[in-house]
Each structure stands twice: as structure tokens, then as C-alpha cells.
Amino acid sequence: MGAVVVVLPFLFGGCPKSEKPPSPAVKVAVASSTPTPVPIPSAFNGERAMTHVKKQIDFGPRPPGSPELEKTRSYILNELKSYGLSVSADEFNASTPEGTKKMINIIGEIPGETNAVILLTSHYDTKFYKDMQFLGANDPAASVGTLLEIARVAASFREKPKMTYRFVFFDGEEAFCEGWDDCSRDNNPDNTYGSRHYANRLVANKEIENIHAMILLDMMGYKKLELGRDTSSTRWLQDIIWKTGRELGHTKIFVDRDEGVGGDDHEPFLAQGISAVDIIQLNDYPHWHKATDTIDKISSQSMKIVGDTVLASLPIIAAHERQTPRRSSAQ
């Protein structure tokens, strides 16, 4: 039942000089019940993202097939479910230098107004080392924590996004051999197992045409954050994100210099004609694949800067006419 409106009419007839003239009709709204407050969309919380980082590090090193990665996977799935996303696991077997490994990509989805999809991604496994305690705070705990917080915020919006947001956490990005290409063979590189499998799955299921763009977060939590432009990324997509970040005041973070990566989870999507961008700080991160990649090297503020920028970029990306990228630095 709505509010009851009581109208107090003023009296007809004369008014004695000793009395004040009557007031106009007054409408008094009497609430019949407590109104439901309008939901307020969440804001990206860097401390929440940092909590996700700490949780992953507490599990220990998290290479594919390990009990520690299984715990991480359960944690990610439970978080996505708690935000209201529909979640699924994409399980497959990968042939690696360490034998056949069961790997599982994690998928969470926020439905949009159309079947067009923007992929928001990160890998969640750590590099395998036999003789080193590698915790991977920046690579990849920071990107996983940031992606989880982006998912929470995006799920809080009252209106459906124009396009579906699909969050994919890739298994098996890291090589098992020490060097990225040490054990690679033709058509079977020792890296990017999960992203290659998922891109091929999209092709096999004839879903590839629905993918509007792919955003990859990888190594973007460093305290001294400075993001150059990965030279293999799609230029129009990169331009939107870099321009948005600078408009948000982060001119010293989103800089116009090349960032040579030489392989990452966005490349299988580029190979399928999908616009893709890698948000990464690799060249001047001194703790890459070292035991010193620990939580003291990353910052909640860096994760918030990237999270805010990606969230602000999504509607602009959705409004951009789809283009097929060329695999060159001149995209």
C-alpha cells in the first residue's frame, strides 16, 4: 500500500481580525510502511582486493594440479557465487613436460542485454618451481584479487550492462620448464594452456563471433605501478583504457611507452580475430618469477587504479563498433 495523503482544507467564511488567516491546504504524507531503500552500486575497494591476495598467498605456491590451486579455485568460485554470478568450471587435460595435468578454467558471468560478450580475464596459477618457494603476489594474486573485486562491483549495478560480462580465470598460464619457451613444441607451447583451450572451445562451440573484446589483467599490482602499452594488444581497445585511466587522473600510470611482453593469455584470442588487450607491467618489475614476488611488493591503491579504470572503460568498449584486429604494433 502506498502513502496515505491527508488534506487539511482551510475554513470558508470571514476571518476575525484577532485571528491569523488560515493557511493553505497542507498535504501530510503518512507512510504506511517503511520504504525499501534504493540499492547503491558498490565502489571498487582496494582493501578487499588485497584481502583476496592475502588469501591466495596463505594457500602457498599454486601450480597446476596442486592441492593449493584446488583451494584457490574453490575460493574464487565461492566468491563469484556470493556476488550473484552464474559460475561454471571448464575442465580439460593438458599435455605438459610434467606429464598430463588436469586443468580447470573458472568462469563467472553477468548477463547483459545482448549475447555480445566482453571477457575479463586473469590466470590464477603460479609458476612451477622445484627448488623455490614462489608465492606469486603480483603474478598472479594481484590480478586475481582485482578481477574478483571488479566482478563484485559490476554485479552490484542495478541495470543490466549492454553486453554480457564474462569473467574467466585461466589455469596453466605459466610454463612448467624454467624458461617460457624452453620446452615448447610446434603447436604445443609450454604455457597458456588454459587460454588456448578456452579460445579453441569458443571456436568449437561457435561462440567466437559473440566475443566483442577480451581484457587481460596480469602483473598490475606493483607499488611502483607504471603501465606501458603491450605492443601486441589491439590498439582501439588499448586506447580506450589508457584514455580512461588518464582522464581519471592516472597520467603517471597509463603511459605512452612500449611494453614488450612476448606471449601471454591474450594471444590465443588475437589469433582468432578477437580484439584483446594485456594490462601488464613486466619489463621493469624486478621480482618477476623470483622468491621476492611477495605481498610487500604490491599495493591496494595500484589494484584500485586498475579496477576503477577497467570498470569505467567497459561501457565505452561496449559502445565501440567491433573491429577485427591485426596482429601488429600498428593496430
Side-chain angles (χ1 to χ4, degrees), residues 86-108:
S86 59
V87 300
S88 60
D90 171 30
E91 184 174 333
F92 63 100
N93 291 318
S95 177
T96 81
E98 295 291 320
T100 300
K101 296 283 186 180
K102 183 178 79 171
M103 297 188 184
I104 303 175
N105 295 328
I106 304 166
I107 303 166

Side-chain angles (χ1 to χ4, degrees), residues 30-42:
V30 181
S32 58
S33 61
T34 303
T36 303
V38 176
I40 300 173
S42 299

Side-chain angles (χ1 to χ4, degrees), residues 266-289:
H266 63 316
E267 292 203 345
F269 297 86
L270 289 170
Q272 297 296 342
I274 299 302
S275 295
V277 62
D278 194 0
I279 302 176
I280 185 171
Q281 181 177 5
L282 173 64
N283 299 161
D284 60 350
Y285 183 62
H287 310 285
W288 178 59
H289 286 178

Side-chain angles (χ1 to χ4, degrees), residues 261-331:
V261 177
D264 210 342
D265 278 325
H266 63 316
E267 292 203 345
F269 297 86
L270 289 170
Q272 297 296 342
I274 299 302
S275 295
V277 62
D278 194 0
I279 302 176
I280 185 171
Q281 181 177 5
L282 173 64
N283 299 161
D284 60 350
Y285 183 62
H287 310 285
W288 178 59
H289 286 178
K290 295 181 180 178
T292 52
D293 185 8
T294 47
I295 198 165
D296 57 304
K297 308 306 187 304
I298 64 173
S299 112
S300 60
Q301 181 62 20
S302 294
M303 291 187 282
K304 179 172 173 56
I305 286 169
V306 173
D308 284 343
T309 299
V310 170
L311 283 161
S313 298
L314 288 175
I316 307 170
I317 293 168
H320 192 278
E321 183 178 353
R322 181 176 174 180
Q323 298 177 6
T324 300
R326 301 187 306 275
R327 296 193 66 187
S328 79
S329 59
Q331 290 165 347

